[in-house]
Amino acid sequence: MDFTPTEEQSALRELAAEIFGDLSTHERLSAVGTRTDPDLWKALCAAGLPAAVEETGLLGLVLALEEQGRTTAQAPFAASCVYGVLALSAHGSAEQRDRLLPALRDGTAIATGAFPERGGVRATADGQLSGVVPVVPWLRDATHVLVPDEDRVLWLIRPGAPGIEVAPVETTAPWSAGRLTLSGARGERVGGHGPDAGADAYEDVLATARTAFAGLQAGVCAGSLARAVEHTTTREQFGRPLSTNQGVLLRAADAYMDIEAIRVTSYEAAWRRDEGLPFRAHALTAAWWASEAGRRVVHTGQHLHGGLGADLEHPVHRHFLWGRQLDAYLGCGAELLDELGELIACGRHDEEGVA
């Protein structure tokens, strides 16, 4: 295994860090509220970041999402890349790729996904979809939604088309989410028509999403810890910085180790996908660390701010909200362990590379 970024991946991360750092200040985020920042999204697309993900792979996307997480930048970058660019690149037909990818690359189209599948959507043989998905992130921004049905076949729909209703939903993190209601909506099938094609495409997209959002969580946690370190090294109590207190040092050290665990597991899962190796079990591992360790870290970041951590207007609270949202998205810790255990118990551990 070699997680050393390529020159292109490093350039993508540096460019992402510059754009997110410049345009996602506390003042701008406060002004945007719970909406997506349209100027930030335009800047990301003008710089070619969504298009670059096809070349830099999932590891390149994870590196860029770390930088987004550090600033809790409000843009549908993760969703559009995972459920749009990478999903269609891997599973779309040649005609679908030619028709849909150009707009997703330049940002004039935005994709999101109704993942994971929880049996809420049914599909007829001719592609009419019915059902309700209570929460879909960035649905209010999306021009395309990737929807798995109860058989885990993937369908692409366009909000605003007949039979599709979108209602705003406010989540813990400001993800422009919505409730998706389908009433005989016409869907376009993605992922082939063989007996296992749909399920295989679903599992690949879900594992890709879990890896990508684990990378986003690593950045959220790193930003939270960085704010806590700055606060405890500049704030004094009894004539000395808070950071000299052993309890503070231990909490910060534990948080650092948790962040490194999220980071290395997400890197490994992303690298394996880019190399064409089985990575579903590794994505589950990364998602488990993102859920369990991520929750610990954002609680630590808020706790180390003392009374300021309870201030809803303080920047560290935004990291707390994002961390808790990512903790539950795509499966909480117990769910993920259960799924990983089933994967091993079913005898697929050799196929998936699980020790």
Side-chain angles (χ1 to χ4, degrees):
M1 294 180 291
D2 183 4
F3 306 151
T4 305
T6 64
E7 185 177 340
E8 292 78 12
Q9 289 168 342
S10 296
L12 177 64
R13 175 170 58 184
E14 291 168 6
L15 182 56
E18 181 180 345
I19 295 173
F20 289 129
D22 288 346
L23 297 182
S24 293
T25 62
H26 175 57
E27 292 74 21
R28 281 181 61 95
L29 289 170
S30 298
V32 169
T34 62
R35 298 175 293 107
T36 291
D37 185 340
D39 293 333
L40 171 62
W41 180 243
K42 289 177 184 177
L44 292 171
C45 297
L49 265 66
V53 169
E54 281 186 277
E55 284 187 39
T56 60
L58 183 54
L59 182 55
L61 176 59
V62 165
L63 294 171
L65 288 175
E66 276 194 75
E67 302 305 325
Q68 179 181 2
R70 289 180 200 276
T71 59
T72 60
Q74 291 171 205
F77 183 48
S80 198
C81 288
V82 168
Y83 300 121
V85 176
L86 292 180
L88 289 173
S89 295
H91 303 291
S93 66
E95 188 276 333
Q96 286 173 331
R97 293 195 298 270
D98 290 341
R99 172 166 48 90
L100 299 170
L101 282 176
L104 289 167
R105 291 178 186 129
D106 65 21
T108 53
I110 297 173
T112 189
F115 279 68
E117 180 276 322
R118 299 191 187 277
V121 175
R122 300 170 303 282
T124 62
D126 61 348
Q128 293 189 37
L129 309 179
S130 298
V132 177
V133 184
V135 180
V136 179
W138 290 288
L139 180 60
R140 283 177 274 167
D141 298 328
T143 58
H144 299 76
V145 186
L146 194 62
V147 181
D149 65 21
E150 58 188 356
D151 296 319
R152 297 187 168 181
V153 174
L154 300 183
W155 303 89
L156 202 63
I157 63 169
R158 296 179 65 102
I164 300 175
E165 180 183 343
V166 174
V169 172
E170 293 300 335
T171 55
T172 302
W175 285 4
S176 295
R179 176 186 177 92
L180 180 65
T181 302
L182 305 174
S183 305
R186 180 68 62 182
E188 177 182 356
R189 181 163 178 163
V190 176
H193 293 272
D196 298 321
D200 288 345
Y202 170 82
E203 295 292 358
D204 178 73
V205 173
L206 179 57
T208 299
R210 282 172 166 161
T211 304
F213 282 92
L216 184 62
Q217 180 76 302
V220 169
C221 292
S224 175
L225 182 59
R227 291 188 183 280
V229 168
E230 181 183 9
H231 173 75
T232 56
T233 54
T234 56
R235 183 89 169 206
E236 291 192 358
Q237 189 177 58
F238 305 118
R240 61 178 187 173
L242 288 171
S243 59
T244 60
N245 183 296
Q246 188 177 37
V248 171
L249 291 172
L250 291 174
R251 288 291 300 274
D254 286 344
Y256 175 80
M257 294 303 295
D258 274 338
I259 294 168
E260 287 302 298
I262 302 170
R263 180 178 287 125
V264 73
T265 52
S266 61
Y267 285 7
E268 181 179 11
W271 175 83
R272 290 183 66 88
R273 182 190 188 276
D274 292 343
E275 293 295 313
L277 300 170
F279 77 109
R280 181 183 166 199
H282 300 80
L284 283 166
T285 304
W288 181 84
W289 276 104
S291 174
E292 294 290 304
R295 183 173 65 251
R296 287 195 297 267
V297 172
V298 295
H299 275 269
T300 293
Q302 196 166 28
H303 187 203
L304 292 180
H305 278 77
L308 288 176
D311 182 359
L312 302 186
E313 302 301 320
H314 195 282
V316 77
H317 188 68
R318 192 175 289 110
H319 291 269
F320 176 79
L321 295 177
W322 276 70
R324 291 311 307 261
Q325 186 74 40
L326 286 162
D327 162 31
Y329 182 56
L330 299 179
C332 65
E335 279 184 288
L336 297 165
L337 278 185
D338 182 60
E339 191 175 336
L340 182 58
E342 286 186 6
L343 188 68
I344 297 171
C346 287
R348 298 178 61 187
H349 54 285
D350 292 331
E351 171 193 341
E352 291 291 338
V354 181

